[in-house]
Amino acid sequence: MGILRRAGATAIISGLAFAFAGHAAFAAETYRTWYEVSIFGLNIAKSGFETKVNGSNYDLSGKLSSSGVARIFDKTDGTIRVTGSASGASVMPASYEVKYKNGKKNKRTIIDFSSDGSVSMVENTPPVKKRNPWVETGPNDLKSVADPLSGLMIRASDPQSVCGRTLHIFDGQTRADLQLSFQGTKPFSTKGFKGDAVTCSVKFVPISGYQKGKEAIEYLKNKSKISISFASLGDSGIYAPVAASIGTQIGTVSVFATRFEKVN
């Protein structure tokens, strides 16, 4: 997505801008979350999401667009919808669809998941351009994975338990692991939320669905400093992202929740 894609360097990391909407609980509730993405202190993207929760099921819809100075060079507008359920200690995605328009180009990704968390169908329009040497995605890579939004909804009994795990993420093209390590806790406040947030350092490990040796991927894998801060969504037992810092070749991308609240 032009500036947005170069700043994120890969769809998995760019997907964090979307993923900060993921919430799940166990009663009929609605949550609204807004996020801003910036680099060098300049706003480059914004997003707004509404998540409806009914019992163990969640249905999320949202919008993302380039903004500020980035919109002068890169006019991008997108929509996203994710459905799934929370069961036991897991959040299980059912479907993921993202559509965006970059200038005159339209792109769409659809992923369907089976009940065991494996990918049952993926469709990219237009098809993914595979540049050699391409690391092909095999069937085993798509077992027990989650989309970038559902994957960042973490069920944990306490803040220290949020980190110390590996998230298996698939965005329709790239399959990657995000290895989370505990970094610390600190106060966090924004519209609709005031409390503690736990910060995890993140190691990006590409698995498949990418061009081997690509500089942006190699930077994220070997040099990038990435951290994600999570906050508890009420008493649901779900921790969702409220901030992130992602080191890229052109600078550090920051994501911050400007609204994180329950509306009914």
Side-chain angles (χ1 to χ4, degrees), residues 1-10 14 39 44 70 73-74 216 220 247-251 253:
M1 293 189 291
I3 289 175
L4 296 184
R5 176 55 60 92
R6 291 193 296 273
T10 175
S14 297
I39 186 170
I44 61 171
F73 306 99
D74 183 344
L220 284 171
T248 75
Q249 290 172 293
I250 64 172
V253 176

Side-chain angles (χ1 to χ4, degrees), residues 23-244:
H23 307 136
F26 298 95
E29 299 173 335
T30 299
Y31 297 89
R32 286 183 185 151
T33 48
W34 295 348
Y35 295 87
E36 291 186 354
V37 184
S38 62
I39 186 170
F40 306 128
L42 300 174
N43 184 277
I44 61 171
K46 59 184 179 180
S47 61
F49 299 88
E50 183 170 279
T51 304
K52 296 181 179 179
V53 179
N54 190 355
S56 62
N57 299 316
Y58 61 89
D59 188 327
L60 177 153
S61 60
K63 295 181 179 181
L64 173 79
S65 64
S66 55
S67 63
V69 67
R71 199 160 180 85
I72 299 174
F73 306 99
D74 183 344
K75 188 176 181 180
T76 299
D77 295 281
T79 62
I80 192 165
R81 186 181 180 196
V82 179
T83 65
S85 62
S87 177
S90 302
V91 174
M92 303 293 292
S95 65
Y96 169 89
E97 180 180 11
V98 58
K99 297 184 290 184
Y100 68 87
K101 184 175 183 179
N102 177 221
K104 295 183 179 180
K105 296 180 180 179
N106 292 286
K107 294 192 176 184
R108 182 186 188 192
T109 296
I110 301 174
I111 309 173
D112 287 339
F113 296 86
S114 60
S115 59
D116 64 355
S118 299
V119 174
S120 58
M121 187 279 290
V122 59
E123 178 181 308
N124 286 289
T125 307
V128 173
K129 293 182 179 179
K130 300 179 180 180
R131 295 180 172 86
N132 290 326
W134 187 260
V135 182
E136 196 63 58
T137 300
N140 288 335
D141 295 336
L142 301 182
K143 294 181 179 179
S144 300
V145 297
D147 62 82
L149 285 81
S150 301
L152 288 173
M153 293 188 284
I154 296 177
R155 297 206 65 189
S157 57
D158 56 76
Q160 284 73 19
S161 301
V162 173
C163 310
R165 69 183 70 210
T166 297
L167 309 179
H168 309 296
I169 307 297
F170 178 64
D171 70 352
Q173 172 183 317
T174 304
R175 167 69 177 85
D177 282 348
L178 302 180
Q179 298 175 352
L180 275 55
S181 300
F182 180 74
Q183 189 170 319
T185 60
K186 59 182 180 180
F188 179 87
S189 62
T190 192
K191 183 176 181 179
F193 179 88
K194 185 176 182 180
D196 290 331
V198 56
T199 300
C200 309
S201 60
V202 181
K203 181 174 177 55
F204 174 80
V205 182
I207 304 298
S208 60
Y210 68 98
Q211 183 183 13
K212 188 175 182 179
K214 187 173 182 179
E215 289 186 7
I217 297 291
E218 290 299 309
Y219 186 91
L220 284 171
K221 177 183 176 182
N222 299 314
K223 297 182 179 181
S224 179
K225 293 183 179 180
I226 306 171
S227 65
I228 305 176
S229 297
F230 297 83
S232 176
L233 188 68
D235 298 322
S236 66
I238 294 291
Y239 286 78
V242 290

Side-chain angles (χ1 to χ4, degrees), residues 6-19:
R6 291 193 296 273
T10 175
I12 290 286
I13 298 300
S14 297
L16 291 175
F18 289 118

